[in-house]
Amino acid sequence: MPGPPPKRSTQRRRRNKPEDGSGAVEVVPIRGKAVKAPAEDRDWHVIAKGWYRSLKQSGQAQFFEPSDWQAARFCAYVMTRHLRDHEEKGAPLRAGMVDTIWSMMGDLLTTEAARRRTRLELDRTPTVDPEAAATVAIMNEYRSEFGG
């Protein structure tokens, strides 16, 4: 989807939504065990390692297939080569290469804008323990009653 990233679904108003369901996403069920991310390469640049590790913790990783993880490994490799050339050989960071790496990262949905362009929104709502919430509610009630 070209252009600026769309607004979040909670921020959008649409009055002309098609009733026939056109534009809906086709869901293809996949059978088999969950995909495990390959380990990072020890030789990667520290920034590439950090980026790759962050992918494993990111919400979109649940949608990654083996080919996505290999694309991420390739991106980390390219990132490492470019950063090492910069650090070890004094080569400047080339805007074209940075743009290419950024594009590769975007294809893996590593930014909020890239996720919104594909209509994927991640909601990292903290889980609340019901017992802890009840205890907090009781303590708040006690404080308000007794001025604590």
Side-chain angles (χ1 to χ4, degrees), residues 97-114:
M97 184 55 79
V98 171
D99 186 48
T100 299
I101 293 168
W102 192 255
S103 176
M104 294 167 73
M105 293 167 70
D107 288 346
L108 292 165
L109 306 177
T110 59
T111 65
E112 174 76 8

Side-chain angles (χ1 to χ4, degrees), residues 77-118:
Y77 170 79
V78 171
M79 192 184 310
T80 296
R81 292 284 306 261
H82 189 59
L83 290 170
R84 292 258 164 81
D85 283 349
H86 172 66
E87 290 176 352
E88 296 170 2
K89 299 176 184 173
L93 288 177
R94 295 188 322 270
M97 184 55 79
V98 171
D99 186 48
T100 299
I101 293 168
W102 192 255
S103 176
M104 294 167 73
M105 293 167 70
D107 288 346
L108 292 165
L109 306 177
T110 59
T111 65
E112 174 76 8
R115 289 188 291 272
R116 280 194 275 158
R117 282 188 188 102
T118 60

Side-chain angles (χ1 to χ4, degrees), residues 118-131:
T118 60
R119 294 182 174 93
L120 174 64
E121 296 176 14
L122 303 177
D123 183 17
R124 194 174 293 274
T125 306
T127 56
V128 179
D129 178 21
E131 289 184 29

